[in-house]
Amino acid sequence: MAHAAQVGLQDATSPIMEELITFHDHALMTIFLICFLVLYALFLTLTTKLTNTNISDAQEMETVWTILPAIILVLIALPSLRILYMTDEVNDPSLTIKSIGHQWYWTYEYTDYGGLIFNSYMLPPLFLEPGDLRLLDVDNRVVLPIEAPIRMMITSQDVLHSWAVPTLGLKTDAIPGRLNQTTFTATRPGVYYGQCSEICGANHSFMPIVLELIPLKIFEMGPVFTL
């Protein structure tokens, strides 16, 4: 999860998030180079004495400043499209979880476990225990295995919501009357936090998402849900 004074993105816990961080760094370096080039040109313009003001033909320069931006856009677009298609892939998921957004809590349904359904509410400050995070911990966590493809089916019962867990690279809108899906494969065990990322009303800030990721062998041993 994020910490105080953090500048970069959260550590990746899924292959998709690793790709997103790599693309972020790639695009950021491209922006730095463009900014350096523009600042260098401005510096030369302000400090160089212009002795020839009758230049009317500069076809080579015009060719460069037309083709170079096109090449830069292609270098940014190709990896972006690759990641976009990767996020839409659904490769034979091992487990399907349905998430339903409400004002202002989440309902989860384990469709592969006999329709196990439970609600997940934010813990009020009076119920927090030592080590719990204010405004982020919930009464019922979503327990999932690592190293297994998970499919999330996301919808809403009332207004627009957004199911987002940054460390997994996930952000999918929950729309009433529509069932969206996303997939992920977690690579590390741990507890990971997210929040509703769509303004959905007065208590929009109080819809946390908590995923508890455990090894697949422990998940297969039996019920691990504390409801």
Side-chain angles (χ1 to χ4, degrees):
M1 62 171 293
H3 55 79
Q6 179 173 340
V7 177
L9 301 173
Q10 298 183 29
D11 293 337
T13 315
S14 69
I16 291 294
M17 189 57 186
E18 293 175 359
E19 294 285 344
L20 289 172
I21 292 177
T22 301
F23 174 70
H24 169 269
D25 297 340
H26 166 73
L28 198 61
M29 288 306 301
T30 304
I31 293 173
F32 281 158
L33 291 176
I34 294 173
C35 292
F36 175 78
L37 180 61
V38 172
L39 291 174
Y40 180 68
L42 289 173
F43 175 78
L44 291 181
T45 303
L46 295 173
T47 58
T48 303
K49 184 178 180 181
L50 300 178
T51 58
N52 190 347
T53 60
N54 297 320
I55 297 178
S56 60
D57 189 9
Q59 294 183 359
E60 294 82 3
M61 182 178 295
E62 292 178 0
T63 302
V64 170
W65 73 40
T66 300
I67 295 178
L68 186 59
I71 295 175
I72 293 174
L73 289 176
V74 171
L75 293 177
I76 294 176
L78 290 180
S80 175
L81 290 173
R82 173 176 171 269
I83 297 174
L84 180 63
Y85 281 102
M86 287 177 61
T87 58
D88 285 337
E89 291 182 358
V90 180
N91 297 321
D92 191 21
S94 301
L95 184 65
T96 298
I97 308 295
K98 185 177 180 181
S99 176
I100 305 173
H102 307 269
Q103 289 182 312
W104 288 272
Y105 64 96
W106 296 97
T107 297
Y108 296 99
E109 178 180 351
Y110 285 72
T111 59
D112 300 311
Y113 284 82
L116 173 63
I117 304 175
F118 61 91
N119 296 326
S120 181
Y121 292 88
M122 184 193 75
L123 282 177
L126 294 177
F127 292 88
L128 292 176
E129 298 180 358
D132 289 343
L133 299 175
R134 178 177 174 271
L135 301 181
L136 285 178
D137 263 302
V138 297
D139 54 356
N140 296 316
R141 295 175 175 175
V142 181
V143 182
L144 297 173
I146 65 172
E147 299 178 347
I150 308 296
R151 175 171 59 185
M152 294 295 304
M153 311 292 288
I154 300 168
T155 186
S156 173
Q157 193 176 25
D158 37 48
V159 299
L160 289 176
H161 300 280
S162 185
W163 199 86
V165 182
T167 189
L168 293 171
L170 298 177
K171 184 180 184 298
T172 304
D173 288 341
I175 304 173
R178 179 170 179 173
L179 194 63
N180 292 330
Q181 72 173 358
T182 185
T183 59
F184 67 93
T185 301
T187 56
R188 295 182 299 165
V191 179
Y192 302 100
Y193 298 87
Q195 289 179 303
C196 176
S197 297
E198 189 75 39
I199 297 177
C200 55
N203 292 331
H204 157 68
S205 302
F206 310 114
M207 288 185 63
I209 301 163
V210 182
L211 304 183
E212 184 174 345
L213 303 177
I214 61 177
L216 182 59
K217 292 183 178 180
I218 298 178
F219 186 86
E220 291 176 340
M221 289 174 57
V224 290
F225 314 104
T226 305
L227 305 177

